[in-house]
Amino acid sequence: MSSKIVVGLDGSGSGDRAVEYAKTLARQIGSCELILVYIIEWSPFSFQTAEENAERHKRREEEIEAALNRIVNPTIEALKSDGLEVTGIVKHGDVADLLDRTAVETSASQIVVARASDAGFAKRLFGTSTANLVMHASVPVTVVG
Amino acid sequence: MNKIFFMALTGLFASTFSASAQEAGGIDQAVNEMFAAVTGPFVSLIFAPFPGTSFPWIVMWLVVAASLFTVYFGFIQFRAFRHSIQLVKGDYSDPNDAGEVSHFQALATALSGTVGLGNIAGVAVAVGIGGPGATFWMILAGLLGMASKFTECTLGVKYRNEYPDGTVSGGPMYYISKGFAEKGVPGGKFLAVLFSIFCILGALGGGNMFQANQAHAQIAGIVGDYPGWITGLIFAAVVFAVIVGGIKSIAKVTEKVVPFMGVLYVLAALVIILMNFNQIGWAFGQIFAGAFTGLGVAGGMVGALIQGFKRAAFSNEAGVGSAAIAHSAVRTKEPITEGFVSLLEPFIDTVVICTMTALVITISGQLMVDPATGNYILDGDTIQTVGGTSGVALTSAAFATAFNWFPYVLAIAVVLFAFSTMISWSYYGLKAWTYLFGEGKTKELVFKIIFCIFVVIGAAASLGPVIDFSDAAIFAMAVVNITALYFLMPVVKRELASYMSRLQSGEIKRFKH
């Protein structure tokens, strides 16, 4: 049985390093599938205007398409051309929660993520997605700097 | 259709000009009077009292409908209350639908359109005239109104239009025309057009001019008197930036601040109530005693009942049809779930927030009691208050007895509530507009610009007849909407029976526990 690694993508430089690291790991393991996950931060408890609500479905489709075309699919292509087994997912929701859930659902053995790419007051107060993931993850997590 | 479009456009501009002319110094007093003469019969008809009473029939129309829906759906507001909360929490939301409009978001959007002046000023008027007893009838009307919202919002989702580009449009005009056609009942198209016309007028009036007017009154009350058109222009510029410029950030800020203000308001009220916890029993005693005896208010028990029913109906808009437009954006396989969620709206708006206001006013001792009889001292029709205040000022004075800084917070809250109500109604009006004239960037822009012009007019002038007319238009929406609901309620009943049986059999899954 091949092992699986969930890789968090964020479209940033450190996200790319996470992919690089996961690639190295996968090669070392041999038979290993990479599951690329791109999360669009979204909460069902945010506040929107009626007009935003009416256009929400359209926007959601656009967001998913943009994430697939710009980030997920190019990375999949690149990894496939390197001979790796890769799949990709785009989801809306909480980053830490969804990375962990994907790992559990796909029975992945570990998660590779980038360190938080942005700092700020809010992040200090509530913690970054990476920090939240590390604290609550169900499988081992590697944070790539 | 284009011909009607331009005729309506000319009409609207004509009324705009007549209004600004009057604002320019009463030159066109004659036009204003003519407007009043032409619209007067309509206004009098909508707000006409039953002979020999001061009870407007339109309030009875809303309460009777709410009671009928309550019985017809077997007290759905109580049976489904727990399930409604589970839906809002997302317990039944499929994780794969994440990113779509959630039940919570639809509820919050609709609430920001109804929570506002009615909860702060309207309740003070009710308690100021009808005494604390009015609160009892207000709560009852709020509880009954939950069934009306349930009915209209279920239909709103069921018969909405979904366009190929993924956007949606819904509301009474869609369920009236589609639902009537489906049942083979004639006149659907006519009623839908009538509803849309009233909705546009209501959006420009009660949803716009009235709000701008009250917001200006609040600001002027704090910084001193100054010309209303200044407030109007600032408001219009901000509204323009949001609805025409698509500056989402302003809307986002408002949509975040408004719930915060709502929570702050309720918390402040709770703190005041708890600080006077030894009076809570007494206050409820006053509410119950006043509900049935009137405690000396004008009109006695009936006076209290009229005020309570009236203000509840004005505040939560159950049966008006506006909420059905806001709720129809939710992407759900089960239209009835949105009906369940929407029934929480009159509960939060009227049963919780309005009651808080009424309790604070009662406990604060602002209403003057004759120590000899225990009855309220009357000043004409209204109860005498400590500072001779009424409306927002009475609520403000009541809160100030506990926190002297609260009037400032309240003023900000009123302005923000007015703004969010305007943004909501601009959307309701727009949907009615596009129903009549068709979708299209230019047509939509025309409405949005007209809407902004009316913000200035509303803040600048005390256009009594125009505002009366627009208020009447909002309630005229209820005449058309409820008539349609009577025809379409069996559709909702079928949906309800089917959903409940599938919920019981476990076919409808719960995702979170």
Side-chain angles (χ1 to χ4, degrees), chain A residues 42-58 60 92 101, chain B residues 89 96 98-102 104-105 108-109 165 167-168 248 251-252 255 331 427:
Chain A
W42 177 85
S43 162
F45 300 111
S46 63
F47 295 96
Q48 310 200 93
T49 62
E51 197 159 6
E52 284 177 300
N53 282 350
E55 289 175 350
R56 189 57 218 157
H57 180 67
K58 185 179 159 192
R60 178 180 185 262
H92 281 80
R101 194 177 299 174
Chain B
K89 277 165 57 195
N96 291 324
E100 301 283 4
V101 179
S102 67
F104 175 88
Q105 285 166 335
T109 305
D165 71 351
T167 57
V168 292
K248 295 278 184 340
K252 282 236 178 294
E255 300 306 311
R331 214 163 186 89
Y427 180 77

Side-chain angles (χ1 to χ4, degrees), chain B residues 336-504:
Chain B
I336 201 110
T337 55
E338 204 44 39
F340 288 139
V341 169
S342 72
L343 64 77
L344 294 173
E345 221 181 291
F347 184 81
I348 297 170
D349 178 277
T350 309
V351 180
V352 177
I353 304 183
C354 286
T355 307
M356 291 286 173
T357 307
L359 276 176
V360 170
I361 293 175
T362 308
I363 287 179
S364 71
Q366 291 288 309
L367 304 173
M368 288 165 65
V369 180
D370 182 352
T373 59
N375 280 350
Y376 288 100
I377 307 171
L378 292 190
D379 180 9
D381 273 349
T382 57
I383 298 173
Q384 264 190 31
T385 55
V386 174
T389 52
S390 66
V392 179
L394 173 56
T395 311
S396 200
F399 275 84
T401 57
F403 309 113
N404 55 12
W405 45 264
F406 203 80
Y408 298 102
V409 176
L410 199 65
I412 297 170
V414 166
V415 171
L416 285 170
F417 284 155
F419 181 72
S420 77
T421 304
M422 276 187 208
I423 299 292
S424 300
W425 274 94
S426 77
Y427 180 77
Y428 304 157
L430 180 68
K431 286 292 120 178
W433 181 267
T434 53
Y435 179 79
L436 289 179
F437 304 124
E439 319 247 341
K441 280 264 176 281
T442 321
K443 289 171 183 169
E444 292 181 13
L445 188 65
V446 169
F447 175 78
K448 287 172 176 177
I449 290 172
I450 292 171
F451 193 84
C452 291
I453 294 171
F454 272 80
V455 176
V456 184
I457 298 170
S462 52
L463 295 173
V466 177
I467 287 176
D468 280 350
F469 174 70
S470 336
D471 273 354
I474 288 193
F475 288 95
M477 287 165 69
V479 177
V480 182
N481 185 42
I482 287 177
T483 307
L485 292 184
Y486 286 141
F487 281 101
L488 298 174
M489 61 187 193
V491 178
V492 181
K493 192 151 195 167
R494 269 202 305 277
E495 293 269 330
L496 179 63
S498 148
Y499 181 84
M500 283 305 194
S501 70
R502 280 177 295 142
L503 187 65
Q504 247 149 32

Side-chain angles (χ1 to χ4, degrees), chain B residues 266-286:
Chain B
V266 171
L267 280 183
L270 266 181
V271 169
I272 295 175
I273 294 164
L274 288 178
M275 271 161 53
N276 299 285
F277 71 96
N278 53 342
Q279 286 188 48
I280 298 175
W282 170 81
F284 274 105
Q286 290 283 299

Side-chain angles (χ1 to χ4, degrees), chain B residues 12 42 196-207 469-471 473-474:
Chain B
L12 273 164
F42 171 70
S196 301
I197 293 169
F198 290 145
C199 184
I200 291 169
L201 295 172
L204 294 176
F469 174 70
S470 336
D471 273 354
I474 288 193

